[in-house]
Amino acid sequence: MSQPTRIISKGINWLLPVMYLLLVFIGLTAIFSVEYRPDVNILQAITGLKTNYSRQLLFLVICLVLGILILLTDSKFFTATANLSYALGILLLLATFVVGKEVNGSHSWIPLGFMNLQPAETCKIFVSLALAKYLSRMETDFRQWRSHAIAIGLSLTPAVFSILQNETGLALVYFAFFIPLYREGLPSAYLVVGVSAAILVVASILIDPNTLFYILTGLVVVTLWLLRRRIRRNKSLLLIIAGVYLLSVGIQKFAVPFLFENIMQPYQVERIMSMFGKDYVPKDPAKLEALMKEKAKQGKINKDGKKEENYNVKQSKIAIGSGGLAGKGFLKGAVTQGEFVPEQHTDFIFTALGESFGFWGSSLVALLYFSLLMIIINMAERQRSTFSRVYGYCVAAILFFHVVVNICMTIGLAPVIGIPLPLISHGGSSLMTFTILIFIFVRLDADRQVVLR
């Protein structure tokens, strides 16, 4: 046995790489089923790299080489370069504003010739390493608010750049880093504030602005009456209540309208509105025209010129529902083969699995993801090093967010925000990101007896 083989095999939990390969091959099968045509020579398509499944196979080869290189790397390399890699990630995000190109309305891609690199996707690796590095430092006291602010800042800074690049969906993924932060002791007050803000945003969508203003005012009046005795003893409580009230009104009256009208794209706002059964018509004529063009391009306007809402989701539901319990069989899906679902090889790849293999096949894929998450969490909990534990929870949190949102998106339980299904959706940047995330953790776990900082 050669020396490199001994280095790779020593201490490795091979169950995680096996699960990785299993999900990737399921993805290749799904992508192939979407693009298969009887009159196309499969061998020529693969060698000519003319199809998405052939390019995904090439990405897999590249990712396996990367995985082997990572397993040959000393774990201390990742701790030593964590901050540097984070700075590199921010520079790549900034570079997209200079050399980036637009793909599907998002200016977040850097062309590399054989593939397009999406820094907002790959930056999740760098944030995971930087967060693990910061929380594992001896001088970091995570009981102080200053440490909370730094950790949250490290997590959400790439999200700001993602929003500026019209990648709102990927920006939301960075909120998954709150999971490892809670594991390390982030106070529950942050969760209460976050959930309250989310409820307020939803209420701003569902309820008339003036009515919501009166409701908030009424709640404050009732609160003041109930706490009148405590307020007499502690005047600062009155300031806190007044501050919360003003902040809530500010979010409802100004922040949400500004977000919808000036930051988010019209089609993104429409997706959110339609999820709650609301129609959306942009006030700006230029945005209305852009929205109609986007609908026409994606086939969301019928022959009579009328809007057809949630076209992607409707077709997705038809595909998954037509699979029934056992599915129609491999390469026998009418919706899949008929190309009725837009972006079926990427964001809506789950529909191909649902139609071909039915409820049982889809449930098996969900079970594989659940098993993968449990394996990662169990591995994270057995780490001696805070760095390795935090990094493991970051990987699990990112996978969890992607899987839950993507599957809910395809069955109409979440707005279409354009994030891939990990290891299964087509895409070089996505596959490379999850490969690096997983194999770095495999390497760290192999050295779990070493305390890394």
Side-chain angles (χ1 to χ4, degrees):
M1 183 181 291
S2 64
Q3 182 66 21
T5 304
R6 286 199 299 271
I7 294 174
I8 291 179
S9 62
K10 185 177 180 181
I12 294 294
N13 179 2
W14 289 104
L15 184 58
L16 189 52
V18 168
M19 293 289 291
Y20 161 86
L21 286 173
L22 183 58
L23 286 167
V24 171
F25 280 114
I26 289 174
L28 282 170
T29 302
I31 297 168
F32 178 80
S33 71
V34 170
E35 292 197 312
Y36 172 75
R37 300 293 177 269
D39 57 337
V40 175
N41 187 296
I42 297 175
L43 183 59
Q44 289 181 357
I46 293 176
T47 55
L49 298 177
K50 296 179 180 179
T51 60
N52 288 314
Y53 60 81
S54 62
R55 287 189 286 269
Q56 188 75 352
L57 189 60
L58 174 63
F59 294 147
L60 174 59
V61 173
I62 295 172
C63 287
L64 288 177
V65 173
L66 275 174
I68 293 171
L69 291 175
I70 290 170
L71 294 182
L72 288 169
T73 304
D74 192 321
S75 295
K76 294 179 181 178
F77 171 81
F78 303 114
T79 61
T81 60
N83 294 334
L84 182 63
S85 66
Y86 184 83
L88 174 63
I90 298 299
L91 287 175
L92 286 173
L93 285 169
L94 293 172
T96 57
F97 295 103
V98 181
V99 299
K101 76 171 188 176
E102 186 172 312
V103 178
N104 293 331
S106 170
H107 197 83
S108 62
W109 301 82
I110 298 177
L112 297 179
F114 69 97
M115 66 174 286
N116 294 319
L117 179 68
Q118 192 174 29
E121 180 77 38
T122 56
C123 205
K124 290 180 287 192
I125 305 167
F126 308 136
V127 173
S128 300
L129 290 169
L131 200 58
K133 175 74 173 180
Y134 176 71
L135 295 178
S136 64
R137 297 187 338 171
M138 292 290 292
E139 55 268 33
T140 298
D141 184 0
F142 206 54
R143 294 170 297 181
Q144 299 180 354
W145 70 267
R146 181 176 177 274
S147 299
H148 302 159
I150 293 173
I152 293 172
L154 286 172
S155 303
L156 299 185
T157 297
V160 176
F161 290 110
S162 297
I163 292 172
L164 295 175
Q165 297 166 359
N166 294 330
E167 272 294 351
T168 311
L170 276 179
L172 293 175
V173 176
Y174 286 92
F175 284 90
F177 288 107
F178 277 84
I179 295 176
L181 292 181
Y182 278 112
R183 168 60 183 84
E184 296 305 310
L186 192 69
S188 57
Y190 291 91
L191 179 61
V192 173
V193 172
V195 172
S196 300
I199 293 173
L200 183 58
V201 171
V202 173
S204 301
I205 296 172
L206 296 177
I207 304 174
D208 175 76
N210 292 328
T211 303
L212 183 57
F213 172 77
Y214 294 137
I215 291 173
L216 291 173
T217 303
L219 288 173
V220 168
V221 171
V222 172
T223 302
L224 290 173
W225 185 80
L226 292 174
L227 300 178
R228 61 189 184 280
R229 293 181 181 176
R230 292 182 60 183
I231 292 173
R232 291 193 192 114
R233 294 193 299 267
N234 186 2
K235 298 298 182 182
S236 61
L237 187 59
L238 179 62
L239 295 176
I240 294 173
I241 295 173
V244 171
Y245 172 71
L246 292 174
L247 179 62
S248 300
V249 172
I251 292 174
Q252 177 247 329
K253 284 282 190 181
F254 305 105
V256 172
F258 181 81
L259 176 67
F260 281 7
E261 295 296 331
N262 297 284
I263 296 180
M264 299 180 70
Q265 294 297 308
Y267 71 90
Q268 294 172 329
V269 178
E270 185 192 40
R271 288 170 180 172
I272 295 174
M273 291 293 194
S274 61
M275 180 185 176
F276 296 103
K278 295 283 186 178
D279 293 327
Y280 172 67
V281 179
K283 297 178 182 178
D284 187 348
K287 290 187 176 182
L288 178 59
E289 183 181 356
L291 179 61
M292 297 305 290
K293 286 182 179 179
E294 180 70 19
K295 284 176 170 292
K297 184 174 69 174
Q298 296 188 12
K300 296 181 182 179
I301 297 180
N302 59 28
K303 295 179 180 179
D304 299 326
K306 296 180 180 179
K307 294 189 296 182
E308 185 176 353
E309 305 292 346
N310 299 324
Y311 177 83
N312 293 30
V313 177
K314 285 182 179 179
Q315 295 299 322
S316 174
K317 288 180 178 179
I318 291 171
I320 295 173
S322 65
L325 284 176
K328 294 180 177 178
F330 185 56
L331 303 181
K332 295 181 180 179
V335 181
T336 297
Q337 295 294 303
E339 300 181 355
F340 289 103
V341 184
E343 306 297 334
Q344 193 170 11
H345 62 289
T346 53
D347 299 341
F348 285 86
I349 192 66
F350 191 73
T351 61
L353 296 171
E355 185 177 24
S356 298
F357 306 108
F359 174 78
W360 300 122
S362 302
S363 298
L364 178 60
V365 172
L367 181 61
L368 288 174
Y369 276 122
F370 177 77
S371 301
L372 179 68
L373 289 171
M374 289 300 99
I375 291 169
I376 294 173
I377 290 173
N378 287 332
M379 289 170 63
E381 286 295 339
R382 72 183 185 184
Q383 304 302 310
R384 292 183 59 194
S385 168
T386 301
F387 179 92
S388 301
R389 183 180 67 246
V390 173
Y391 181 83
Y393 268 93
C394 287
V395 176
I398 294 168
L399 284 166
F400 173 77
F401 189 94
H402 270 265
V403 172
V404 171
V405 173
N406 182 276
I407 293 178
C408 288
M409 188 177 73
T410 59
I411 59 179
L413 296 180
V416 180
I417 59 175
I419 63 173
L421 190 60
L423 307 176
I424 291 182
S425 290
H426 171 268
S429 283
S430 174
L431 183 59
M432 189 178 300
T433 297
F434 286 110
T435 299
I436 295 173
L437 279 169
I438 290 172
F439 276 83
I440 286 178
F441 187 51
V442 171
R443 178 68 265 170
L444 294 175
D445 179 69
D447 293 333
R448 58 186 175 273
Q449 300 303 326
V450 179
V451 177
L452 302 170
R453 295 193 185 279

